[in-house]
Structures are given as C-alpha cells and as structure tokens.
Amino acid sequence: MERKWWHGKTAYQIYPKSFCDSDGDGIGDLQGIISKLDYLQELGVEIVWLSPVYRSPLVDQGYDISDYYSIDPRFGSMADMDELIARAQEHGISIVMDLVVNHCSDEHEWFRRACQNPEGPYGRFFYIRDWHEGEPLPCNWRSYFGGPCWDLLPGHTDKIYFHAFHKRQPDLNWENPALRQEIYKMINWWLQKGLGGFRIDAIINIKKLLPFRDFPADRDDGLCAIQTMLARAEGVKDFLQELVRETFRRYDAFTVGEVFDEKPEDLPQIIGENGFFSSMFDFSQKLLGQDRRGWYLCRRPTAEEYKKAAFAAQAKAANIGFYSNIIENHDQPRGVSHYLPQGERSDAAKKLLGGLNFLLRGLPFLYQGQEIGMENRDDWTLAEFDDIGTLDQYRVALRAGCRPEQALAALAHYSRDNARTPFQWDGSEGAGFSAGTPWMPLHPNYRQLNLAGQRGRPDSVYEFYRRLIALRRSPDYAETLVYGETLPWLSEQHNLMAYLRRGERTLLVAGNFQAEEQDMLLPGPVRALLLNNLESFSQNGESVHLLPWQLLVLELEE
Ligand code: GLC
C-alpha cells in the first residue's frame, strides 16, 4: 500500500460554535480555535476537521451554506481563517474543512437567482419542477428532517424544488455540468489556500434516482425513506470520479467521506488504492439499534453487538483501505453515554471504550470533548433543544402515540444536541468556553468534569487519550498500529473485546467490556505492558485477570 501523509495521524473534530468563544458573544469562533492550538498540539492531534464555518443562516448549524467563499461573521473573517491555517501548520496540524455540496442554503445567490428565473441558468442548478395544487408530487420521498422532499419555490405558486434535508437546504443538481464546474472551482480555491483537505458531507446523496418516482410508503405519512431511493440510484461513481480528478488528486488532499448507504461491493472504489476518498467513517456501530421509524423505537447496543460490528468492519476494510473510527461526532449522542450501560460512566469505562476504538486499524478521529469524557445531558427540557432534526423526532414520536415524557426521553438520549453543548475547559462560570451566555446551555456537570481538572492528573481520561495518541505515534509501535492487521482474539468470549494488531510487532488490545471481572487466555508470552486503564495487572500463567472495565495493551513475544 502506498504510504500517505495522513496515515499515522490522529484527527480531531471541532464543532466551532461550541469549542471556544474569543469575543464573548456566546458563540465559538476561529480566534477561539487559534487560542487552543497549543492545546491541540499538546494532545497530539495532527489533523483538525472543522465543521462548517462558511457564511450561513445556521438553520442546520452551517450545513446550509450561503456563500462558499466567505466565513460567517459569527465565526470571524477570512483573515482569521487564513491565520488559522497558517498557525495550525506551525503547530504541525493540517486543517480540514467540511465540504457540503449536496445542497446549499436557500439564501445562496444561486438559489435566489433560480427563484427569480427558474428557466434561467441557475434554475438548472437545482431540481425544480412544475406543480399545481392538488397534483401529486414528483416523488414521495421523506426528507431527512421530516416531511416531503418538495416545497413551493419561493415567489411561485406553480413550481416546486427538491430538498433531501431541510426545506432551507435546496439540493444542488449534479447532473448539470455547469454546477459541477462551480463546485470544483470552489474546492480548488480552498485547497490553494493550504487546506489539508475535506470531510465530505452526505456525498452519496448527490446522485438521485431520475426520473423521480414513488416507492411504497414506510410510515403512515405516505412517504418513504430516501434510503429506498439511494439503494437503487446508479451513477454516483461517475460524479465522484470526476470530482476527485478535478480537485483533490491535484493537491494530494486528505478526504474523508460521510458515506452512508454505499453498496458493499463499492468499498474498494471508495477507499481502496486510488479510491475516491482517503477514508470514510465506519458508522457500523452507530447504526446498531437504530430504527428508521423514529428515535422512540431505537435501542442502545450491547457490548457484544458493538464488538461484532467493529470486527466486521475491520474485516471488510482489511485488504482495501482505512476506515475512520469514531465513537461520536456532532450528529450523535456522546459515545460514553450511548455505548456504556446506564450508570457505568466511570473514567475506567470511558477509557476502555475510547481505547478499544482508537487502536483499531484505521484513522482515529476524536470529537471535541471526547478526550475529557464529556457526556450526554440527562436533564433536557424540550425548549432547550435547538436541532431541527431533534424537533422533528419529537413530532414523529407524538404522532406514533408516545406520551410527551416518552418522546422527551428519546430526544434526551439520541439528540445530536448532546454533542453540541459547549466544551468544558474549566469549572468557572461559562466553563472557560465563553465570557458571555453560551448559545447552547452548558452540561450541568462542567464544574466537576472539565479539562483543567484533568490536565496533568495521570489517571484522568484526558491523560489517557494523550497516551493513546502518543503510543500510535511512537517510533516503536507506529508501524504496527497504523499498518498492522487486526485479528480478533477470543471473539466468542462474552463481553470481552480483544484483538491483536500484528505487523512489525504483535500487540494485544484487550478490554473487559462489563462491570464484572473475567479471565482471558493470552495468545502468547507478554513482552511488555504498554497501557493499562487501571493500576493493577494480574497475570496467572497463560491468562490475565481483568477487573471491571479494564483495558490492557500488551506487547507479545514474537
Ligand atoms: C451531514 C451532517 C449533518 C447535516 C447533514 C445535512 O449528515 O453531518 O450535521 O445536518 O449532513 O447537511
């Protein structure tokens, strides 16, 4: 496999609105990020992915871009962005931006012009169709944030446009070469600035099944999930091939795709040698327990399910390329609240979950706050939710007959607002995030759980993550941890998640994913104990005794 500059690096996702506010308006910003570059370097990360900071009405928190060439004033200016890219480089960090090109904002110039003249060139940048009151819509697909994918084109009573997400996020028409050229121009403009690359949003959605058509309804709203259409749409690969050739490849840019609903046989083309992207996220654990009918029917995965999904993904990508491994991101609940059983959010358990995920083959991505063990809030009130998707899920649950308390409980667990509470820097008023009123309430536990209380404390979650990152970068183990294969060990042993990483050396990562003790047989003699999330280590001949939530990383004799 050809070696690439990003293979050995640890990536870190910043959700700018909630990371660090430098000017006291309650909203995180680019200068706030710049002020934390020393921190990111100390942690050991070398790639930082910024969720969108482009100009936007922030209907979907920046995933609705109204100008790809400017920074939203709430986050700063283009000068701040240039400064961030340059200063990050001095810290050994590449900046990766979010690329949201399935759709733009309804405030984008292109959409405004399309509304003014639907028959003109910008009308063809979108999917606009004639429609009259009482007629069926061109298709019955349900948008991701609820309701049909079609809405009246602003200023018109006889024209509608397509949106896979919110109605204020009109889909761009990739069938139109003129639109594609505009997108490539924009991407190259950013890459010329010295960006490391992009995280690519909702990319499989750029290809629609045309002509639009209905599918059998899967809820009583008469609509069907967009995924039904995606499973049948052919041709996204042609778009991706051209995109990559015209942009990323020219710059050796790092790209990580948000790829859902890909066809299994397409993995080599997506992340294989010369694939479309450097990597794509492994969402297989996230998908466990999900139910397309709504969050009120979702359930949390067990340790056994988590392990099986992780190993299956490792096997799938093994001879192909690198997944990017996560326990959470800005669209998911906090990993420690989701994958660890209720009442088991000890530091040991958090380190176990983080370590098991981090040491898998692939590129490790941490999400801001993960490194200090930030958790879901348990005490949400309905009025505190901000996310459009969350509010839709409330309606879905009530429609299905849930009582308001049940609906709220589902929201409290699954809402992506859990990941969006501000970073807990310290225990002072505002958590060191902002001198003003944070745009989203802080997690009430910030006075006990914060970076200041963990930095320099050897047994903290934070220092554990630093050790994980350092291990993956260390001259002795990098080769094995980055390029070595993953071999599950005793995968049938209940609530034991253990695997070998075998390359130049042989490492065993072993986690006791439960609150009870258990013994584990060793695959061979131990040469060194590299990492332990607890103090004791007890080996009896050919087996080790694992305490509740214990995680060990051992080097074995060849
Ligand atoms: C992606 C983003 C999510 C956003 C959606 C629409 O899934 O991660 O935050 O809402 O795309 O752009």
Side-chain angles (χ1 to χ4, degrees):
M1 169 184 276
E2 194 192 336
R3 303 279 155 126
K4 288 293 194 179
W5 63 265
W6 53 79
H7 283 162
K9 299 189 191 285
T10 296
Y12 184 93
Q13 181 189 355
I14 289 185
Y15 195 69
K17 207 173 176 188
S18 302
F19 189 61
C20 178
D21 170 20
S22 73
D23 59 6
D25 65 356
I27 294 180
D29 47 45
L30 293 176
Q31 283 300 331
I33 299 172
I34 291 172
S35 74
K36 298 297 181 188
L37 285 169
D38 288 342
Y39 166 69
L40 294 168
Q41 189 173 26
E42 167 191 300
L43 177 58
V45 302
E46 295 174 278
I47 292 177
V48 165
W49 152 30
L50 294 188
S51 276
V53 290
Y54 309 88
R55 189 180 289 272
S56 163
L58 304 189
V59 170
D60 186 20
Q61 297 305 353
Y63 286 89
D64 48 319
I65 298 171
S66 56
D67 182 356
Y68 290 98
Y69 293 93
S70 65
I71 299 295
D72 194 273
R74 281 164 284 206
F75 296 124
S77 63
M78 192 57 78
D80 295 324
M81 188 67 210
D82 291 336
E83 183 183 342
L84 173 62
I85 295 171
R87 298 271 303 275
Q89 263 159 14
E90 291 160 20
H91 286 76
I93 295 173
S94 302
I95 298 290
V96 164
M97 285 181 88
D98 222 298
L99 186 66
V100 189
V101 288
N102 172 67
H103 47 267
C104 61
S105 157
D106 63 342
E107 294 186 18
H108 194 288
E109 184 66 21
W110 297 336
F111 193 67
R112 289 218 185 120
R113 293 210 194 173
C115 295
Q116 280 158 12
N117 180 10
E119 266 74 49
Y122 291 100
R124 289 190 287 280
F125 273 34
F126 300 91
Y127 295 97
I128 297 175
R129 296 288 184 272
D130 292 329
W131 179 81
H132 297 97
E133 188 78 54
E135 286 178 6
L137 295 168
C139 66
N140 68 339
W141 310 343
R142 182 185 306 105
S143 76
Y144 289 100
F145 296 137
C149 282
W150 296 92
D151 255 277
L152 274 180
L153 191 68
H156 300 261
T157 52
D158 59 351
K159 292 204 184 303
I160 52 178
Y161 70 97
F162 179 88
H163 59 88
F165 292 87
H166 193 262
K167 67 175 181 201
R168 298 201 52 197
Q169 296 170 296
D171 277 52
L172 293 165
N173 177 8
W174 276 69
E175 306 291 338
N176 178 355
L179 174 271
R180 299 204 299 272
Q181 287 308 320
E182 282 291 344
I183 300 284
Y184 306 154
K185 190 175 95 189
M186 176 274 290
I187 293 173
N188 289 329
W189 184 85
W190 277 105
L191 288 173
Q192 271 152 24
K193 275 184 177 291
L195 272 194
F198 290 98
R199 173 267 185 183
I200 304 171
D201 189 70
I203 192 65
I204 297 298
N205 284 276
I206 62 177
K207 184 73 193 183
K208 324 295 181 215
L209 182 66
L210 298 174
F212 292 110
R213 70 197 76 158
D214 283 359
F215 289 104
D218 53 23
R219 286 188 202 162
D220 64 6
D221 57 5
L223 305 176
C224 79
I226 282 212
Q227 289 88 345
T228 311
M229 167 288 278
L230 290 176
R232 293 166 174 81
E234 298 289 338
V236 70
K237 289 188 271 182
D238 301 328
F239 287 159
L240 294 180
Q241 212 135 30
E242 185 185 270
L243 162 72
V244 168
R245 190 181 66 229
E246 297 293 321
T247 60
F248 313 134
R249 205 152 279 157
R250 300 184 178 175
Y251 295 83
D252 199 21
F254 167 72
T255 51
V256 51
E258 186 200 30
V259 178
F260 279 107
D261 306 303
E262 79 282 6
K263 304 192 172 68
E265 65 276 16
D266 290 346
L267 201 64
Q269 266 180 293
I270 303 177
I271 56 166
E273 196 100 50
N274 292 316
F276 303 133
F277 306 130
S278 319
S279 180
M280 64 184 261
F281 291 107
D282 172 21
F283 288 124
S284 54
Q285 294 103 321
K286 168 202 153 76
L287 295 173
L288 296 167
Q290 282 202 347
D291 192 306
R292 289 214 178 125
R293 288 168 295 173
W295 290 350
Y296 69 97
L297 289 170
C298 292
R299 55 166 195 83
R300 297 167 54 190
T302 63
E304 280 294 298
E305 290 171 324
Y306 183 88
K307 165 175 74 181
K308 293 206 165 82
F311 287 166
Q314 291 281 292
K316 222 161 101 185
N319 299 314
I320 296 176
F322 287 116
Y323 272 128
S324 287
N325 299 317
I326 57 169
I327 64 163
E328 61 196 31
N329 67 19
H330 67 293
D331 289 331
Q332 300 180 27
R334 288 287 181 178
V336 295
S337 302
H338 187 56
Y339 298 114
L340 298 173
Q342 198 79 37
E344 296 289 351
R345 298 181 198 164
S346 63
D347 283 359
K350 289 176 177 181
K351 293 173 193 171
L352 166 123
L353 178 68
L356 285 174
N357 183 269
F358 187 93
L359 296 168
L360 291 168
R361 185 170 182 282
L363 309 179
F365 269 72
L366 307 186
Y367 177 70
Q368 67 179 43
Q370 178 184 337
E371 74 276 30
I372 56 170
M374 281 180 65
E375 301 171 358
N376 273 5
R377 274 184 65 181
D378 298 318
D379 60 342
W380 288 101
T381 60
L382 189 59
E384 283 168 328
F385 288 110
D386 161 85
D387 168 43
I388 43 184
T390 302
L391 299 173
D392 176 58
Q393 287 291 334
Y394 189 69
R395 290 185 288 269
V396 169
L398 292 188
R399 257 180 81 136
C402 291
R403 281 177 285 109
E405 320 79 81
Q406 286 174 308
L408 187 63
L411 264 43
H413 184 77
Y414 293 101
S415 175
R416 45 189 198 164
D417 283 338
N418 280 302
R420 301 175 180 187
T421 62
F423 192 102
Q424 295 164 202
W425 296 101
D426 60 41
S428 69
E429 199 69 36
F433 161 69
S434 174
T437 307
W439 73 278
M440 148 121 352
L442 290 159
H443 192 299
N445 71 5
Y446 79 91
R447 290 195 192 271
Q448 304 83 48
L449 194 165
N450 56 61
L451 176 70
Q454 297 191 21
R455 218 170 181 173
R457 213 187 73 211
D459 65 346
S460 68
V461 175
Y462 172 69
E463 294 298 340
F464 186 78
Y465 269 102
R466 278 188 67 197
R467 287 201 288 277
L468 279 172
I469 298 174
L471 182 67
R472 194 169 178 278
R473 285 172 84 177
S474 70
D476 286 347
Y477 301 105
E479 180 68 24
T480 305
L481 285 172
V482 176
Y483 296 104
E485 56 184 342
T486 302
L487 299 167
W489 174 243
L490 302 178
S491 58
E492 296 304 316
Q493 188 168 327
H494 189 69
N495 287 352
L496 174 76
M497 179 164 165
Y499 52 90
L500 293 162
R501 295 299 317 278
R502 205 168 61 187
E504 256 181 23
R505 296 166 184 251
T506 303
L507 307 183
L508 175 69
V509 180
N512 182 17
F513 213 132
Q514 61 176 6
E516 294 79 39
E517 310 182 359
Q518 67 174 318
D519 290 319
M520 178 194 65
L521 193 69
L522 286 163
V526 174
R527 179 181 288 171
L529 170 61
L530 303 182
L531 217 56
N532 182 356
N533 68 342
L534 297 174
E535 289 197 346
S536 72
F537 171 63
S538 104
Q539 183 177 353
N540 317 307
E542 289 179 1
S543 57
V544 275
H545 183 69
L546 296 168
L547 295 172
W549 306 111
Q550 186 157 28
L551 175 78
L552 298 173
V553 183
L554 303 170
E555 182 177 359
L556 304 180
E557 300 286 352
E558 294 310 307

